[in-house]
Amino acid sequence: MTIRDHVRFVLNAQEIARADIAATDTLLDFIRNDRRLTGTKEGCAEGDCGACTVLVGRLQNGVLRYQPVNACIQLLASLDACHVVTIEYLSGPDGRLHAVQQAMVEHHASQCGFCTPGFVMALYALWMANPDPTETEIETALQGNLCRCTGYEPIIRAAQAATALGSPAEDSLNRERAEMSARLAALGDGRRVEVARGQSRCILPASVDDLAAILVDTPDATLVAGATDVGLWVTKFLRDISPVVFLGHLDALRRLEVTDQGIEMGAGVSYTDSHATLCADYPHLDAFWNRIAGWQIRNMGTIGGNVANGSPIGDTPPVLIALGATITLRKGDARRNLPVEDFFVEYGKQDRAPGEFLESLTVPRPAPGHLHAAYKISKRRDEDISSTCAAFNIRVEADRITEARIAFGGMAGTPKRATHAEAALTGQAWSASSFDAAAAALAEDFAPLSDWRASAEYRMQSSQNLFRRFWLEHQHGDAPVRLSA
C-alpha cells in the first residue's frame, strides 16, 4: 500500500501540507499560533462556549458540506482533504463586512466582542443553509455559543436581518463551490496517511478494510471519530493519546440506510446526520436530540463514538437500549453482533476485544402499539451533561401493558435497563397506579452515586418522577398536564 506522509487541506484560500503533526495538535492552536489568525478565540477549550467556532467543509459521497465545529477540540491531523474557513475569510475583497457581520453591528449584538467571531461563524453556517430561519431554528443553531454580556435577543434579531443585507447565492463559498470541490477531491487521493512528530503518531486509514488491518497490527491505538470526548483528554487532562487512528473521513462509516427491518448506520454517523432519519420513525427523539450538546458538537460527535466510549452518562445509549438497538463489532474480517445493552460490562469496561472496533449500529423500525419517550435531566437545559437520562419503550394492548423496556444513564456505572421497574409494569393495567408501582421498584434497580452533577437522592427522585411524567404525557384523551421536553 502507498502511504502519504503529510496531511493536506485548504485553510481559507491557502493549501496547507503538514507532515510534522502530533496526535494532540488542535486546529485552534494551528490557526492562532502558527497562522496568526487570531479572530478565532480560545475560551473553554472543551467545546462548550463556541468562541473557537470555524467552518469545516468536507466532501461526503462527492458532495461538499460545510458545518460549524469547535476548533479547540478538532484535532489537526483529522482535517485531510478539508476546507477550513475562519472569520477572516468572510470579509469581501474590499474589506467590507459580511452580511452576517453587518447585521450584528446594526443590531448592537456585540459588546466585549470576544464571543462575537464564534457567533458570526455559527450564524454564517445557518444563513448559508437556511437564509430565512425561524426564531427556534436560530436558538438551536446558537446552543453551542455562550454570550455573557450582550444577551441573545439582539443576536437573534441580527440573524433574522442578515438575509436582507446579502444573498447566500452570492457568497464566496457558494460561488467557489465547484472549484473547491475539485481541489478537495484532488487532495483526498484515497491513500493511507501517516504523520508524526517525534514519537507521536497519527494514521488516517484509506478505507474501513484498511482500518481493520491497522487495528489488528496496532490494537492499542486510540480511535477518534469526532474527538468530542478525546479532545478533552488532550486539552483538559494533557494525555498522550498516540498512536491515533482517525475515522471521520471514511464515507463507509457515515452510511445511513433505512430498510424494512431497521435504521442501519455506520459508527461514524454524526448526531446531526442521524437526527432526521431517527426522528422520522421516532418523533419523540426530536427534542431530546437537540439537547445533546450544541450544534458544533452535534456536527462533530458520532453515535458510534458515544456508545464505544462506554460513558455511564452518554445520552444515546439509554435510547438505543430501550429501542432494542444492536451493534456490529469487527476485528480484521470477522464480525459479530450484539445488543447495545450487552456491550456495557461494568464501569470502564466494554465487550470489545483488542483490535476490535464498532463498525455499525442498527435501530429496529417502530412496531405498532408501542409508546416512547426520552428524557434528559441536567443542570442547564441546553448543552449540558446529563445528571440522569431515561428512555421508555412501552407496548400497550387493550389497556394493558404487555411489554416494557426502560433504560437509564447516570444511575449506575454503565447505562442499563431497569429490570425491576419493567417487571412491575409488564402485565399490569394501563393506569397511573401501575407507573407509581414501577417508580417504587426503581430503587431495586439502582443505587446511584452523588457527584457534582447531582446527589444520589436527586437522581433517584427525579428518575422516579419520570414514570409519572410518562403516564401524564401518554394517557388516553387530553392529559391534565402537558410537559415540554
Side-chain angles (χ1 to χ4, degrees), residues 366-370 395:
H370 286 248
R395 184 180 183 184

Side-chain angles (χ1 to χ4, degrees), residues 303-471:
I303 310 303
N306 198 230
V307 173
N309 71 12
S311 170
I313 53 171
D315 287 323
T316 65
V319 169
L320 296 172
I321 291 171
L323 295 179
T326 59
I327 59 175
T328 298
L329 296 167
R330 177 176 177 181
K331 182 175 182 178
D333 292 329
R335 293 177 174 87
R336 63 188 178 102
N337 300 318
L338 73 160
V340 172
E341 62 193 278
D342 293 342
F343 179 68
F344 306 103
V345 179
E346 59 187 46
Y347 180 75
K349 183 179 180 181
Q350 296 85 48
D351 183 4
R352 183 164 60 90
E356 194 172 37
F357 67 98
L358 198 162
E359 186 175 36
S360 64
L361 307 92
T362 301
V363 180
R365 302 297 301 277
H370 286 248
L371 303 174
H372 302 97
Y375 303 119
K376 176 172 178 172
I377 304 297
S378 57
K379 289 186 175 182
R380 298 192 306 265
R381 174 175 173 77
D382 292 321
E383 202 186 13
D384 201 3
I385 296 171
S386 293
S387 298
T388 185
C389 179
F392 290 72
N393 180 2
I394 308 294
R395 184 180 183 184
V396 180
E397 294 181 280
D399 284 335
R400 189 159 296 276
I401 300 166
T402 58
E403 183 182 347
R405 292 181 64 93
I406 304 168
F408 280 84
M411 294 287 283
T414 66
K416 60 181 293 189
R417 288 174 65 176
T419 54
H420 289 87
E422 292 174 353
L425 279 174
T426 305
Q428 301 302 308
W430 171 254
S431 66
S433 60
S434 295
F435 282 88
D436 289 343
L442 196 67
E444 300 178 61
D445 287 311
F446 300 110
L449 300 176
S450 294
D451 57 24
W452 62 270
R453 295 185 187 94
S455 67
E457 294 78 12
Y458 176 81
R459 281 191 164 101
M460 179 57 69
Q461 185 66 67
S462 60
S463 296
Q464 289 175 323
N465 288 345
L466 293 177
F467 285 82
R468 174 54 66 96
R469 176 174 176 171
F470 182 91
W471 159 253

